[in-house]
Amino acid sequence: MQHILDAISADASPDEIANLAVPDTYRAAYVRRQDTEMFDGLESWEKDPAKSIHVGEVATPELAPDEAYVAIMASSINFNTVWTSIFEPLPTFGFLDRLGRESKWGARHALDQHIVGSDGSGVVLQVGSAVRNWKPGDRVTIHCNYVDDQDPSAHDDSMKAANQRIWGFETNFGGLADLAVVKANQLMPKPAHLSWEESAVNALCASTSYRMLVSSNAVQMKQGDVVLIWGATGGIGGYAVQLVLNGGGIPVGVVSSEDKADLLRQMGCEAVINRKEKGYRFWKDDNTQDESEWRRLGKDIRELVGEDPDIVFEHPGRQTMGASVYVTKRAGTIVTCAATSGYTIEYDNRHLWMRLKRIIASHFANYDEAWNMNRLVSMGAIQPTLSATYTLDQVGEAARKIHHNEHEGKLGVLCLAPQEGLGITDHALREKVGEDKITLFARHHAA
Ligand code: NDP
């Protein structure tokens, strides 16, 4: 891939990029089918992504007519790579095999190695014969909604498509690699004022938060809404806080350390709850929840903002859902996209129906939502939450950090990019937005 990196570094013309040979193999981070039972008998937290994620050469697949090869300059770690690497709740090879049965092009994905990663920034190298809107040399970011656009169910909201998938999780050839194969309708323009790694960390988490809070497909927050945000300096939470502030809402951010509380205040979130300091015990034991602890959280929120949340941004799942349903304002909404602490959820339904609350399910974002979110990032209205950057060889270690909740915001990964800070072309916009704002998470992490 050196000749590709040299051409990108030298700002080669679209024609020169189009004429670059795409190598037969490339470097990628992957898990192996033969390893899916390696953690059997261990507790979830004992399963180490660094033991199951390998980095090595893989074969370059043939390009389908609606796809592009992208030279990946940088990528990011998402929680889905943690799930893939610890083979929970299921090994992801089942997803690849199902895709493999769909079509000739789908069959390429059903391999004994799963190349992971659902984010990326880079340069288009080649496009398939059916691609119209993108060409070699285009600088892009990639969103992870992988849809079959010949399926009628994909044509209202593509997240409702019967065979909608997440690229690099439910498909192969993901972004934690020097090269990726993506559908043309996953491509978006790279924010010109950001580096490769700053551009690579936003698409998955920011678009998820955008759909949950802004889109008419979920809650469509109003000015003045109080929004309780769990994990407010985490991957999706860090973007949720920014979206609520931009939209005239009042975020109440929950975090688990004073350090994170400090970061949250620097983001402009004034109402902060340190859940560790508060010591909430929503569960008395594995089977019994404690309503008095839900009430204590509700009281803490009222003390901070004077009222109950119109919206709860939910994703921890089993540990918090009972409390989330309880504290939501009468006729308010709980929007959920995950269940990190357990997916069998319990809440007291009386608090839901008697008070006319709603639970809305949300999952990633359609192309329109991802595009709108990318536009906000490109305008400098939403900042990347990149706190630290790793090399491709360190993907396992970085995934372990996320698995153990030892990170803030997003962790970036340099793929082809030889160092941090490259790829910025609009210096004037960067200066206008402000280095301090763009690098808040990274500076906080370094301090
Ligand atoms: P992160 O780990 O970056 O952040 C999650 C935060 O949640 C943590 O930092 C932690 O913050 C908080 N948290 C974790 N466990 C608990 C708990 N038991 N109780 C309260 N808070 C908790 O992950 P992401 O934000 O990237 O993702 C969060 C979840 O959302 C994951 O399960 C992920 O798979 C899922 N997800 C789903 C998407 C979709 O499209 N459906 C898209 C993106 C993510 P603190 O300790 O500071 O409180």
Side-chain angles (χ1 to χ4, degrees):
M1 298 290 294
Q2 188 59 43
H3 66 295
I4 291 175
L5 175 58
D6 291 344
I8 293 169
S9 306
D11 243 341
S13 69
D15 281 349
E16 286 167 331
I17 298 272
N19 286 325
L20 294 171
V22 173
D24 294 340
T25 65
Y26 63 99
R27 196 174 57 125
Y30 58 86
V31 297
R32 304 184 303 191
R33 195 186 289 264
Q34 72 207 60
D35 292 338
T36 54
E37 291 171 5
M38 69 187 282
F39 296 133
D40 283 4
L42 297 181
E43 294 292 331
S44 192
W45 60 269
E46 295 174 306
K47 301 177 182 175
D48 183 358
K51 294 200 170 125
S52 56
I53 295 178
H54 300 263
V55 176
E57 290 292 307
V58 296
T60 306
E62 196 186 337
L63 197 64
D66 61 345
E67 291 178 341
Y69 286 132
V70 179
I72 300 292
M73 299 301 281
S75 181
S76 93
I77 311 282
N78 283 294
F79 216 98
N80 65 7
T81 289
V82 176
W83 298 126
T84 303
S85 67
I86 63 173
F87 309 108
E88 282 192 25
L90 297 164
T92 44
F93 289 96
F95 302 142
L96 304 185
D97 293 342
R98 207 164 306 137
L99 174 54
R101 288 192 290 273
E102 266 181 20
S103 67
K104 168 192 157 190
W105 296 111
R108 294 169 303 166
H109 293 255
L111 302 174
D112 290 335
Q113 59 205 17
H114 185 180
I115 300 156
V116 290
S118 301
D119 266 324
S121 67
V123 177
V124 174
L125 294 177
Q126 288 181 12
V127 295
S129 57
V131 175
R132 294 185 318 277
N133 298 339
W134 302 94
K135 58 180 189 325
D138 285 344
R139 293 173 160 230
V140 294
T141 56
I142 302 167
H143 75 75
C144 62
N145 184 18
Y146 183 96
V147 284
D148 174 358
D149 61 11
Q150 292 180 26
D151 189 310
S153 65
H155 286 272
D156 169 13
D157 162 15
S158 60
M159 286 307 298
K160 294 186 195 160
N163 48 9
Q164 183 278 332
R165 293 181 164 89
I166 298 295
W167 165 67
F169 178 61
E170 293 162 293
T171 81
N172 220 321
F173 317 126
L176 286 163
D178 289 339
L179 185 89
V181 178
V182 302
K183 287 189 183 265
N185 61 18
Q186 290 177 250
L187 297 174
M188 309 186 291
K190 174 192 171 292
H193 69 298
L194 299 181
S195 68
W196 293 114
E197 62 280 8
E198 288 164 349
S199 304
V201 298
N202 309 299
L204 188 146
C205 281
S207 309
T208 301
S209 301
Y210 181 93
R211 180 176 172 109
M212 290 172 81
L213 291 171
V214 182
S215 169
S216 57
N217 285 314
V219 182
Q220 230 177 355
M221 186 200 89
K222 301 188 307 301
Q223 293 183 34
D225 278 352
V226 172
V227 186
L228 180 73
I229 301 170
W230 292 104
T233 59
I236 52 177
Y239 294 103
V241 169
Q242 296 185 61
L243 288 165
V244 171
L245 287 170
N246 283 2
I250 302 157
V252 179
V254 185
V255 287
S256 62
S257 71
E258 256 326 290
D259 206 35
K260 290 180 179 181
D262 174 53
L263 175 59
L264 204 44
R265 289 190 192 97
Q266 289 187 48
M267 292 176 79
C269 179
E270 290 172 10
V272 177
I273 294 177
N274 178 343
R275 68 181 170 101
K276 199 155 182 201
E277 184 186 84
K278 294 284 182 186
Y280 302 119
R281 290 199 57 204
F282 300 136
W283 288 84
K284 286 184 197 161
D285 56 50
D286 283 353
N287 302 310
T288 328
Q289 298 204 56
D290 185 346
E291 186 169 326
S292 69
E293 286 292 276
W294 300 346
R295 206 173 305 124
R296 189 156 72 87
L297 170 67
K299 193 160 160 280
D300 290 339
I301 297 167
R302 283 184 189 178
E303 262 172 29
L304 284 169
V305 293
E307 52 188 305
D308 298 329
D310 298 276
I311 300 164
V312 176
F313 183 87
E314 212 346 288
H315 52 92
R318 184 166 175 83
Q319 284 296 326
T320 55
M321 191 62 155
S324 293
V325 169
Y326 180 83
V327 300
T328 302
K329 188 181 283 179
R330 194 176 184 92
T333 310
I334 302 97
V335 58
T336 177
C337 74
T340 317
S341 65
Y343 46 80
T344 308
I345 300 297
E346 278 181 34
Y347 59 86
D348 185 334
N349 204 27
R350 292 169 300 177
H351 295 302
L352 191 82
W353 100 72
M354 295 290 285
R355 299 195 172 114
L356 304 158
K357 304 178 190 184
R358 294 181 305 159
I359 298 174
I360 294 187
S362 191
H363 185 38
F364 185 57
N366 62 35
Y367 198 5
D368 185 54
E369 291 158 343
W371 188 278
N372 287 335
M373 187 67 216
N374 189 59
R375 177 172 170 267
L376 291 176
V377 175
S378 299
M379 289 161 50
I382 292 285
Q383 312 308 330
T385 61
L386 174 69
S387 63
T389 305
Y390 291 75
T391 63
L392 190 58
D393 287 330
Q394 297 169 322
V395 163
E397 196 185 309
R400 187 205 289 140
K401 286 253 177 222
I402 291 186
H403 185 27
H404 290 170
N405 195 15
E406 291 168 354
H407 68 297
E408 284 164 348
K410 296 291 303 172
L411 301 184
V413 175
L414 296 178
C415 298
L416 274 177
Q419 63 189 72
E420 295 175 46
L422 302 176
I424 302 166
T425 49
D426 190 342
H427 294 276
L429 178 58
R430 190 171 179 98
E431 202 175 323
K432 191 171 159 205
V433 175
E435 196 69 28
D436 280 7
K437 277 166 84 178
I438 297 170
T439 59
L440 175 63
F441 274 65
R443 284 184 298 105
H444 188 268
H445 175 76

